[in-house]
Amino acid sequence: LEEVSQGLIGSPSDSLVVKVLGESITEKQVLEAINQIVLQRARDQQITQDQIEQKDILFYRDALDTLLGTILLRNEAKEKNLVADKAKVEEAFQSTRAQYPNEEAFRKALDAQGLKEADLRNSIETNILCQQILDVMAKDLPPPTDAEIQKFYDENPKYFAAPEQVHAANIFLRVDPKATPEQKAKIRKKLETIRADIESKKITFAEAAIKNSEDKANAPNGGDWGMVKRGDLLKPIEDAVFGAKAGTLSPIVETQYGYHLINIIEVQAAGRMPLATAKPKIVTYLQHRALQAATTKHIEDLKVKYKVEIVMSDDEWNKRHAKK
């Protein structure tokens, strides 16, 4: 993020971009909003260096719409006599302050943005009021239908690919890195004896794991790892597990930590996640998408209602901020 931040330094002016409801949005405010978008995308690792270099053009419309939307939704909240809960404002304020190591660092961050505590509290209050409007909109939206869920599932198979998985359990005997060949052989022999006892049904695998395994995390559960996929296990264990048949025991597997005996309980071939498993995530996604669409339309309607005055055209903005 430090490299990104260095790329955000510019010379914004107070030139007007748009006016609405008696409020002005300046070039400086738009550039600051663009920088926030870039920083967020950088945190999420969703931005390239080329995009950062062209940020003032690429994210101009998103930033301006965010600023306009905030003004319009805040006005709507005022017209509906909505009030931000003071306790929630204070909680959010303290949460923001807690992100800094001390009070001095917090004050410096405010100063760097030209803000006072009151400005931050006002910003938090505005966000809460806007969110209240969006929450009401969300409640009024119908839930996605089964047909819509099925359609998304059918049209987006890449999101529901299920890798090959194995349900496995492990008995682990630790070997000290300084162990002699004789000591290692003794430990291996012990595990081979355990394996023979399991195969002759003198003891179950789970009972043997509880009694003998030094995998402290899983031994109490009979050594059960649950479902694992490629990449979850050490390479020697992965090689022994994947390709094996359900209901079989692996050969003794040696890793840098010691010796392992693995019980292959179930094998699931690579395929597609069942709709029943995918459905909750699909519902959440479709609800979020529907709210985004409804919010965009609502703000566009408010723009028309309150007559946004364009002071700086898109062409003029692009001329001022095109990469030299």
Side-chain angles (χ1 to χ4, degrees):
L1 289 181
E2 183 177 347
E3 292 180 1
V4 173
S5 298
Q6 290 174 355
L8 301 182
I9 298 172
S11 302
S13 75
D14 289 328
S15 299
L16 296 185
V17 179
V18 299
K19 290 183 178 181
V20 65
L21 290 168
E23 294 191 47
S24 300
I25 296 176
T26 67
E27 182 178 27
K28 179 179 179 180
Q29 289 173 306
V30 176
L31 290 171
E32 288 173 349
I34 289 171
N35 291 345
Q36 289 303 312
I37 291 172
V38 172
L39 287 171
Q40 184 57 56
R41 291 191 176 218
R43 291 188 190 101
D44 297 338
Q45 297 183 333
Q46 294 180 344
I47 194 166
T48 66
Q49 186 59 41
D50 286 344
Q51 289 175 323
I52 292 173
E53 291 174 1
Q54 296 286 347
K55 64 184 176 61
D56 293 339
I57 302 295
L58 292 176
F59 303 118
Y60 163 68
R61 181 51 60 183
D62 288 342
L64 183 57
D65 285 346
T66 296
L67 293 170
L68 278 170
T70 299
I71 292 172
L72 294 167
L73 291 176
R74 183 181 63 206
N75 179 72
E76 183 177 359
K78 182 179 179 181
E79 289 181 343
K80 293 181 176 180
N81 296 315
L82 298 180
V83 178
D85 186 319
K86 290 184 179 179
K88 289 185 177 180
V89 173
E90 183 63 22
E91 180 183 356
F93 176 83
Q94 294 300 336
S95 177
T96 301
R97 179 154 59 183
Q99 295 174 19
Y100 297 88
N102 51 52
E103 186 69 14
E104 182 182 0
F106 174 61
R107 297 291 173 187
K108 284 183 178 180
L110 288 179
D111 291 342
Q113 298 176 68
L115 298 176
K116 300 183 183 300
E117 272 197 22
D119 298 322
L120 178 57
R121 290 181 187 276
N122 288 336
S123 176
I124 291 170
E125 183 175 339
T126 294
N127 289 339
I128 290 174
L129 289 173
C130 291
Q131 189 59 52
Q132 288 180 13
I133 297 292
L134 298 181
D135 289 344
V136 171
M137 291 176 59
K139 288 179 182 178
D140 292 338
L141 291 174
T145 65
D146 287 342
E148 290 171 332
I149 294 168
Q150 183 71 55
K151 184 173 185 289
F152 186 87
Y153 178 75
D154 291 340
E155 292 180 353
N156 297 276
K158 65 181 180 180
Y159 296 136
F160 309 111
E164 178 187 9
Q165 295 184 88
V166 173
H167 183 188
N170 170 60
I171 296 174
F172 168 60
L173 299 185
R174 187 178 304 280
V175 175
D176 190 296
K178 298 179 181 178
T180 64
E182 291 77 14
Q183 289 171 327
K184 291 180 64 177
K186 185 177 179 180
I187 296 171
R188 184 183 183 103
K189 180 64 176 178
K190 178 181 177 180
L191 192 52
E192 287 173 346
T193 300
I194 293 171
R195 189 181 198 280
D197 288 345
I198 294 170
E199 289 182 325
S200 65
K201 302 191 185 304
K202 289 182 181 180
I203 191 171
T204 67
F205 188 95
E207 289 169 342
I210 292 170
K211 182 179 178 181
N212 298 284
S213 182
E214 295 177 81
D215 176 1
K216 295 180 181 179
N218 299 298
N221 299 320
D224 198 333
W225 281 333
M227 300 301 296
V228 292
K229 61 184 183 300
R230 291 185 185 275
D232 289 344
L233 306 171
L234 295 170
K235 187 64 167 59
I237 298 176
E238 180 178 288
D239 291 342
V241 166
F242 287 92
K245 292 182 179 180
T248 63
L249 296 178
S250 74
I252 304 300
V253 178
E254 183 178 359
T255 68
Q256 66 263 44
Y257 304 107
Y259 294 111
H260 306 256
L261 175 64
I262 302 106
N263 183 23
I264 314 302
I265 301 169
E266 178 189 358
V267 175
Q268 288 186 1
R272 194 177 185 191
M273 185 187 300
L275 176 59
T277 304
K279 185 174 180 178
K281 290 184 178 180
I282 296 175
V283 169
T284 299
Y285 173 77
L286 292 179
Q287 287 175 329
H288 179 68
R289 189 173 70 177
L291 180 58
Q292 281 186 317
T295 301
T296 298
K297 183 181 184 307
H298 185 65
I299 291 175
E300 289 301 318
D301 291 342
L302 291 176
K303 287 181 185 178
V304 174
K305 179 179 178 180
Y306 292 106
K307 297 180 181 178
V308 174
E309 179 186 349
I310 306 298
V311 179
M312 184 183 297
S313 69
D314 287 6
D315 285 344
E316 184 177 351
W317 177 275
N318 290 341
K319 288 178 183 177
R320 292 168 69 93
H321 297 283
K323 185 179 178 183
K324 299 294 190 283

